[in-house]
Amino acid sequence: MTTFLRKRIGSSAIPLLVVVLGVFCLARLTGSPVDLYLPLSATAEQRAEFAAEHGFDQPILVQLWDYVLGALRLDFGESLRTGQTAGEMVLAAFPATLQLAAVTMLIAIAGAVLIGSLAAYRPNSPADRTASFLSMTAASIPDFWFAIMGVLVFGVSLALLPTSGVDGGAEVWVLPIATLLIRPFGVLVQVVRGAMVAALSAPYVKLARSKGASEKRVVFGHALRNATVPALTVAGDLTIGLINGAVVVETIFGWPGIGKLMIDSILQRDFAVLQAAVLLTAVTIFALNILIDVCYALLDPRVRQTAPA
Amino acid sequence: MMSSVPAGSRPRPRHGPLRKFLRHAVVLTTAAATLSGCAVANSDSTGDAGAADGSTLRIVLTQEPPTLEPCESSLTSTGVVVRSNISEPLIERDPSSGELRPLLSTGWRRTSPTTWTFDTRSGVRFHDGRPFTAEDAAFSIDRAVNSDLACNVDGYVFEGRELSVRADDANRLTVTTAEPDPILPLRLSFVEIVPRGTSTEAKVREPVGTGPYSIADWQTGVSISLHRNDDYWGDRPAFPAVRYVWRGESSVRAAMITKGEADIAAGLDPEDADQDDSVAYPNNETTALRLNGREAPLDDIRVRRAIGLAIDRQGITDALLDGLAQPAAQLVPEGVVGFNPAMIAPPPDPETARRLVAEAAADGVPVDRQITLIARNAQFPRVSETAEALQYQLDRIGLRVRIQMADTAEHLQYQLRPMPVDAGPVALLIMHGNQAGDAAFTTSQYLLSEGPQSYFGDPELDRRTARADGLSGRARQDAFAAIFAAERDAVAQYAYLAHMRGLLGIAKTVRYEPNSATGDELRLAAVTPADGQVR
């Protein structure tokens, strides 16, 4: 497993580097932040001073080198917008997104395993068709629309939930999580159902049944274990999507997370914060990928056996 | 044959990995739930305690202010929180009448063509307890206008002018300008006063001021809370506490009013506004197409006039701007010194416009060259639909237009000098807000040949503008009104669209009458509980 992990981490380093370099260069292609941060009357000296102070007057390779050196010392620079260090801002925002993604994904997995398994147990039954229809609908609903409808129905019309914000108890979590949940939940129900249908008709399940194993053991002990592998892979990808896709939810509900911070940084050409946010998100995504692979390897020993010693 | 299981190791239990996974999942769920603990990370949740008893005024903004630095308060997102709430200027402008009123200065007079003297108020203290003196005022003006801080107020209001500022004694201040400046007191109404010792090297994020409220807590990304300054020199505002939050989505801001989660909601889109809970107000903003007259076919005045004639302003304001805007014929609305009441927005005249374009084409002007219409995302409600309507209307008169939607930073590249040189013919959809109430703030930016936001102009008009700048009273009004008319006839850099209006959500729990300054300056002291009781 150590070799597997080492190799997996090694292979993640290159894409990580590409992402960081890409964001660094692409951000600078969008234009200098000088116009956004200095007044109209700023003199050429003030512009030059601003550029020099933030290193924008240097050739891009020098800027990149400085950035890499800084990042190695965990110094990600200063926000042009707020004057705070970029690292501080990103670390403050990230846990809120992680909380949201983690809770959402765990609910999605638990719910999808239950409903997907039930639907697969009797294929084409009314329950199966209902579950399939609802999950397909859920997977197709735009999160933006769902969020606004949630606010109007549950916030305004029924007055059951707050429209937005983070102050309060468990109720503030409901709409953001429901919005984030709807797509992964729909997709996962489909995946679990499909995998379970295949598993339940596999020869080893028939064999288990013929040997008198209880239905509970057949479904959860034999079939679900095999169905978990594809579901887990998809769940991993969906989790990554959640972290990236938190932008909509965070913007609409005023959730103080990394998605909103990233969008604001792009619009404000706040390069240091954007780079730090992308780096942390990329590292997290690669870590998640590795975690998924480890889970995958734990569930299916063939995976780790393919890793060369 | 070697087994893949090392000898001596105990056989793995059946379903071990799956159980392990599920166990991990349970642990993770518990951890996440504990982590969440009904409180969101980064929120440092303090609850909305003031809401229930009505003692906290709750305001929802469109975005978080990037800073509360007073010298940046000409930026809408900063000014709406800071101005006259946390810090105060020497003088304030009445948004309705345009009159200047005493604030931290009790009186002022022009003592020579280039010198003004201001008396400052006694008995005023900053939030940190230090007394306010004329020296603080001198320091603040110097810091905002003459320092290397590059404050926005320096650019937008003082246009880079240098001032000489001196405190004569504890209560008297003298300001000297290089050239006569009849509207200096108006300009100074944009300078917020901070105590001596405030950094002149770096902008401050959370300022100390003399205003009726001071900063209690700023949770980045979540909210800003203010509490009432009990030592305030003026009238005691009604609410002991104020809490600002921000939501990017207009429908959510509107819903917060309907649901009772907020008392005031800024910047509602017309489709979200509930008639009972919203008020329209003139926000002094004017929209127009700014035409790059240095590039063919826009370098021909017939083509520029044709564009002005092609636009169906009434149609756009009725259909797309929900009747809230009014067709415009100049860059400033009524109420601004220099507004020309004789200039009327013409009805669309596509026939004449087509004829003008055809005439230009006959003279060899390449009218089929593609014009880029650049508009800014979210600049006003239905901005992209407005751009599409303009594209259609220009297409009808024989011009080829493509739309480019831009974010603020990209739009700024076209808005400000130096503008991109290889962009071809550009029609930039601009929105100009003249919050200061004097045409000089418009002409210096948008009409001068070398104005920071102008493509081109006319030397004679530049001379007239310089002369008008030195006038005051009726002569000033007439001179600027004539300049607006002359610009339309001789230059026609702009195809005007509409004088805009803003929509403010106001819950039934509070009373507030928005005015033309509300978008930039929401005076908390002007908000009272519906029952009129001071909390």
Side-chain angles (χ1 to χ4, degrees):
Chain A
M1 184 56 84
T2 317
T3 314
F4 170 76
L5 264 180
R6 202 175 56 227
K7 186 168 169 55
R8 195 65 190 76
I9 290 170
S11 66
S12 295
I14 293 169
L16 186 66
L17 205 65
V18 169
V19 167
V20 171
L21 292 184
V23 168
F24 185 90
C25 298
L26 285 174
R28 275 148 188 82
L29 285 180
T30 60
S32 161
V34 174
D35 287 339
L36 272 176
Y37 290 93
L38 289 184
L40 304 176
S41 67
T43 58
E45 291 78 42
Q46 282 172 330
R47 283 169 191 274
E49 199 178 302
F50 181 89
E53 189 186 335
H54 297 96
F56 300 136
D57 59 336
Q58 301 290 323
I60 191 159
L61 284 178
V62 176
Q63 291 184 43
L64 180 60
W65 180 242
D66 287 347
Y67 170 65
V68 172
L69 284 185
L72 289 175
R73 294 193 309 268
L74 298 181
D75 171 8
F76 299 100
E78 215 173 63
S79 163
L80 294 175
R81 236 175 348 141
T82 65
Q84 292 170 290
T85 68
E88 229 174 70
M89 287 176 72
V90 167
L91 284 178
F94 203 50
T97 302
L98 273 188
Q99 279 181 320
L100 206 54
V103 176
T104 302
M105 217 50 227
L106 291 169
I107 295 173
I109 291 172
V113 164
L114 190 69
I115 293 176
S117 304
L118 288 176
Y121 191 62
R122 294 203 196 287
N124 292 323
S125 64
D128 177 31
R129 273 187 241 143
T130 310
S132 294
F133 171 75
L134 289 180
S135 62
M136 268 208 274
T137 310
S140 325
I141 289 179
D143 46 7
F144 181 83
W145 181 85
F146 185 84
I148 298 291
M149 285 299 120
V151 169
L152 293 181
V153 174
F154 296 100
V156 178
S157 301
L158 301 176
L160 291 173
L161 298 169
T163 60
S164 55
V166 291
D167 278 342
E171 70 277 8
V172 303
W173 291 80
V174 178
L175 280 176
I177 286 183
T179 307
L180 270 184
L181 184 66
I182 184 152
R183 210 182 90 78
F185 182 70
V187 172
L188 274 178
V189 167
Q190 296 280 314
V191 171
V192 171
R193 182 198 168 276
M196 284 295 278
V197 166
L200 284 169
S201 59
Y204 65 86
V205 167
K206 286 180 187 155
L207 183 66
R209 277 194 177 123
S210 68
K211 285 184 172 174
S214 69
E215 273 304 288
K216 193 178 148 200
R217 163 144 286 199
V218 167
V219 174
F220 292 104
H222 294 276
L224 185 57
R225 182 181 171 194
N226 286 286
T228 306
V229 176
L232 195 63
T233 314
V234 175
D237 290 343
L238 290 170
T239 309
I240 290 163
L242 279 189
I243 291 176
N244 284 326
V247 172
V248 168
V249 165
E250 290 177 5
T251 304
I252 290 180
F253 295 107
W255 199 267
I258 196 96
K260 180 77 170 58
L261 184 69
M262 248 189 246
I263 287 292
D264 289 346
S265 306
I266 292 169
L267 293 177
Q268 295 291 325
R269 306 290 191 266
D270 203 349
F271 295 156
V273 180
L274 175 64
Q275 284 157 196
V278 169
L279 181 63
L280 183 61
T281 311
V283 167
T284 309
I285 287 173
F286 283 113
L288 262 176
N289 268 321
I290 290 167
L291 191 71
I292 292 160
D293 287 350
V294 170
C295 290
Y296 200 26
L298 285 173
L299 287 167
D300 188 347
R302 286 168 299 181
V303 174
R304 59 177 187 272
Q305 280 166 7
T306 56
Chain B
M1 194 174 157
M2 280 179 67
S3 162
S4 62
V5 179
S9 69
R10 101 191 138 82
R12 286 189 308 152
R14 287 180 77 194
H15 319 307
L18 178 59
R19 277 199 192 131
K20 209 185 269 178
F21 168 70
L22 291 175
R23 200 169 59 234
H24 288 168
V26 170
V27 170
L28 271 172
T29 315
T30 318
T34 314
L35 252 175
S36 57
C38 294
V40 181
N42 191 29
S43 72
D44 187 22
S45 182
T46 52
D48 202 353
D53 61 5
S55 64
T56 299
L57 174 63
R58 300 154 305 160
I59 299 176
V60 53
L61 305 172
T62 55
Q63 58 174 307
E64 179 173 16
T67 171
L68 297 180
E69 162 62 59
C71 82
E72 298 289 47
S73 60
S74 53
L75 295 174
T76 300
S77 54
T78 297
V80 77
V81 176
V82 172
R83 289 184 64 181
S84 292
N85 295 326
I86 296 169
S87 58
E88 297 173 300
L90 290 174
I91 296 164
E92 64 178 358
R93 174 180 179 270
D94 184 319
S96 309
S97 67
E99 300 280 311
L100 294 180
R101 293 193 303 221
L103 209 64
L104 291 181
S105 169
T106 51
W108 53 95
R109 58 210 163 272
R110 198 174 187 175
T111 44
S112 86
T114 55
T115 312
W116 289 78
T117 301
F118 299 82
D119 299 322
T120 58
R121 191 177 294 278
S122 316
V124 175
R125 286 189 178 275
F126 287 101
H127 297 146
D128 60 7
R130 280 183 282 171
F132 159 74
T133 66
E135 282 191 48
D136 296 300
F139 168 82
S140 303
I141 296 168
D142 209 38
R143 177 178 184 267
V145 182
N146 295 336
S147 74
D148 289 331
L149 279 180
C151 297
N152 269 282
V153 71
D154 183 18
Y156 284 103
V157 179
F158 289 89
E159 296 148 4
R161 293 157 202 250
E162 291 288 308
L163 302 179
S164 166
V165 195
R166 191 184 71 235
D168 301 323
D169 57 41
N171 293 105
R172 181 161 298 169
L173 176 77
T174 303
V175 183
T176 310
T177 55
E179 300 291 326
D181 187 355
I183 58 166
L184 183 73
L186 176 62
R187 291 188 208 276
L188 287 179
S189 73
F190 285 86
V191 177
E192 302 287 304
I193 305 300
V194 291
R196 272 169 293 159
T198 304
S199 174
T200 52
E201 303 292 318
K203 291 173 183 168
V204 294
R205 187 164 154 77
E206 298 185 28
V208 167
T210 59
Y213 288 93
S214 62
I215 301 167
D217 181 35
W218 183 351
Q219 291 176 43
T220 307
V222 182
S223 65
I224 293 174
S225 299
L226 309 182
H227 52 202
R228 188 162 56 194
N229 171 13
D230 288 329
D231 293 331
Y232 184 55
W233 61 271
D235 291 339
R236 185 179 156 91
F239 288 95
V242 180
R243 185 163 184 270
Y244 295 93
V245 295
W246 34 89
R247 302 285 181 265
E249 197 50 42
S250 163
S251 49
V252 172
R253 292 195 295 278
M256 288 176 75
I257 294 284
T258 314
K259 174 88 190 299
E261 291 174 1
D263 301 307
I264 293 181
L268 296 187
D269 288 354
E271 61 264 37
D272 300 319
D274 181 333
Q275 274 193 329
D276 292 341
D277 289 335
S278 67
V279 182
Y281 62 96
N283 59 8
N284 274 352
E285 300 278 359
T286 301
T287 47
L289 278 179
R290 191 185 72 192
L291 308 170
N292 184 355
R294 297 190 183 281
E295 289 277 349
L298 298 175
D299 60 350
D300 191 293
I301 194 166
R302 288 169 295 188
V303 175
R304 300 199 296 275
R305 282 189 183 138
I307 291 174
L309 288 169
I311 297 175
D312 181 359
R313 295 167 183 80
Q314 196 67 55
I316 289 175
T317 51
D318 287 350
L320 297 177
L321 307 177
D322 288 69
L324 285 170
Q326 288 198 325
Q330 55 197 303
L331 265 183
V332 295
E334 195 170 358
V336 172
V337 172
F339 171 78
N340 187 335
M343 292 171 74
I344 309 289
D349 184 358
E351 282 307 314
T352 312
R354 259 194 294 271
R355 185 170 51 74
L356 285 169
V357 171
E359 277 177 23
D363 289 343
V365 176
V367 296
D368 55 349
R369 189 175 177 206
Q370 192 173 59
I371 297 166
T372 308
L373 194 166
I374 301 174
R376 192 173 116 194
N377 288 315
Q379 188 162 36
F380 54 86
R382 304 214 183 101
V383 60
S384 56
E385 289 86 344
T386 302
E388 283 160 20
L390 290 169
Q391 180 189 37
Y392 168 73
Q393 288 162 12
L394 299 191
D395 182 67
R396 274 198 317 172
I397 62 164
L399 297 173
R400 288 177 56 225
V401 176
R402 81 176 175 98
I403 295 173
Q404 181 182 327
M405 296 303 295
D407 70 5
T408 306
E410 192 186 356
H411 195 262
L412 267 175
Q413 289 177 5
Y414 293 92
Q415 194 173 326
L416 299 176
R417 279 175 187 270
M419 292 139 191
V421 283
D422 51 357
V426 167
L428 188 77
L429 187 55
I430 59 154
M431 185 156 83
H432 165 53
N434 186 323
Q435 301 305 341
D438 190 281
F441 298 103
T442 299
T443 52
S444 61
Q445 294 284 325
Y446 290 85
L447 298 192
L448 290 180
S449 305
E450 299 294 327
Q453 304 197 49
S454 169
Y455 279 120
F456 69 113
D458 174 56
E460 171 54 22
L461 217 55
D462 295 349
R463 282 190 285 275
R464 284 174 67 178
T465 305
R467 279 200 299 276
D469 258 342
L471 301 174
S472 52
R474 187 74 218 173
R476 186 179 184 87
Q477 158 66 33
D478 293 345
F480 277 115
I483 286 168
F484 283 129
E487 199 281 337
R488 181 193 57 185
D489 297 338
V491 183
Q493 179 173 198
Y494 295 89
Y496 303 103
L497 191 59
H499 298 307
M500 311 294 276
R501 286 165 76 83
L503 271 176
L504 195 74
I506 302 179
K508 291 187 178 60
T509 46
V510 298
R511 287 213 185 105
Y512 174 71
E513 278 186 30
N515 53 54
S516 62
T518 294
D520 299 275
E521 178 182 318
L522 209 167
R523 288 185 197 180
L524 300 171
V527 188
T528 53
D531 60 12
Q533 298 292 312
V534 173
R535 306 293 187 202

